Amino acid sequence: MAPLPDGFSYAEWNATYNALSFGIAAMGSATIFFWLQLPNVTKNYRTALTITGIVTLIATYHYIRIFNSWSEAFTVASKDGGDYTVKLTGAPFNDGYRYLDWLLTVPLLLIELILVMKLPQQETVSLSWKLGLASALMVALGYPGEIQEDLSVRWFWWCLSMIPFCYVVFTLAVGLAEATSKQPSPAAASLASAARYLTVLSWCTYPFVYMVKSVGLAGPAATMYEQVGYSLADVLAKAVFGVLIWAIAAEKSAVEESGKLPTVHTYG
């Protein structure tokens, strides 16, 4: 874990502080909402919605840890009514919490999407294993590069992590297209498609944020862009994505309860 660079301005420190605070609020409120909605969907989709809430709960915990670590790494003070100055305390900023979070939540994100689409049981199990393992491998391969200052090493691990990344993105964008078209209503199909493409869009943000320190940016500005970028991408990939999962579950539950969809036994 590389030490933080010195020389943060108050604006740079505050932007990161607020982004992390926003992450806590978004993930925490999303968790409460998802679990309160469990009685309002049919049994077929409660597992997916429960997992959605678990994802945002895990993210809430890790964002609290990252926020506290960021706060402890600095002292911010104003002397004699002047501008705020930001100084390092010497305490480490543990950004490894992000990767612990992603290692747990990224596979679950994909599994909840598969579950809410209500695919045949064999396909559900197969896709859950394949996408879950590929996404965990992607995160594991990205971390060694994240903690390196050597740009050649960062690029090496970035390239390795992009192999499972491309597999997952291709499966979401192309492999699940047919399953999306077979959803029980146009609204459900549209929501499922939106969930797939939101995942692809939000995921594509991470490799670019990862490269911030590899394209000429360095010091406090690079750290700020990285932390703010990851935080916004996380909110999209977890809280906003979770809202789409809930919307799909609610729409399909309404169709099932209207008697228009035959009940098929699947996981979820």
Side-chain angles (χ1 to χ4, degrees):
M1 180 168 50
L4 285 168
D6 202 358
F8 276 86
S9 68
Y10 177 68
E12 290 168 335
W13 174 85
N14 197 43
T16 302
Y17 184 94
N18 288 333
L20 296 174
S21 180
F22 175 68
I24 295 171
M27 302 298 185
S29 57
T31 301
I32 295 169
F33 173 77
F34 297 145
W35 286 351
L36 286 177
Q37 289 299 313
L38 280 171
N40 298 327
V41 301
T42 62
K43 185 177 180 181
N44 285 325
Y45 307 108
R46 286 175 188 165
T47 299
L49 201 55
T50 299
I51 293 175
T52 306
I54 291 173
V55 165
T56 50
L57 178 64
I58 293 171
T60 302
Y61 167 76
H62 284 115
Y63 264 87
I64 291 172
R65 298 301 299 268
I66 297 169
F67 178 86
N68 289 341
S69 184
W70 181 260
S71 298
E72 292 164 4
F74 298 91
T75 56
V76 182
S78 173
K79 186 176 181 180
D80 300 326
D83 293 337
Y84 286 102
T85 58
V86 180
K87 295 181 180 179
L88 296 174
T89 63
F93 172 56
N94 187 359
D95 199 29
Y97 289 124
R98 282 199 186 278
Y99 278 82
L100 289 173
D101 176 79
W102 292 339
L103 194 61
L104 293 170
T105 59
V106 171
L108 290 175
L109 282 169
L110 297 172
I111 290 171
E112 71 189 58
L113 175 61
I114 294 166
L115 287 175
V116 82
M117 292 185 76
K118 200 179 179 186
L119 304 171
Q121 180 175 323
Q122 185 175 356
E123 189 176 357
T124 295
V125 173
S126 176
L127 275 174
S128 295
W129 275 107
K130 289 177 182 177
L131 295 182
L133 290 174
S135 60
L137 180 62
M138 174 191 69
V139 173
L141 288 173
Y143 183 66
E146 187 72 70
I147 60 176
Q148 296 292 328
E149 292 298 316
D150 188 322
L151 295 186
S152 62
V153 177
R154 285 181 66 86
W155 278 112
F156 171 77
W157 287 106
W158 182 87
C159 291
L160 284 183
S161 67
M162 287 300 291
I163 297 172
F165 172 87
C166 289
Y167 167 73
V168 173
V169 168
F170 177 82
T171 301
L172 289 173
V174 179
L176 290 177
E178 183 179 354
T180 301
S181 66
K182 294 180 179 178
Q183 295 302 298
S185 72
S190 177
L191 288 167
S193 181
R196 286 167 48 228
Y197 288 115
L198 175 64
T199 304
V200 171
L201 176 64
S202 61
W203 275 38
C204 286
T205 306
Y206 292 98
F208 288 105
V209 176
Y210 188 99
M211 290 189 294
V212 161
K213 294 179 180 178
S214 305
V215 292
L217 282 175
T223 300
M224 178 199 69
Y225 285 125
E226 185 178 63
Q227 293 302 317
V228 172
Y230 280 150
S231 298
L232 295 178
D234 274 350
V235 170
L236 280 175
K238 296 177 179 135
V240 177
F241 175 77
V243 171
L244 285 175
I245 293 297
W246 160 76
I248 295 168
E251 169 64 20
K252 295 179 73 171
S253 294
V255 173
E256 287 187 2
E257 288 174 350
S258 71
K260 296 177 181 178
L261 181 68
T263 301
V264 178
H265 178 68
T266 63
Y267 287 157

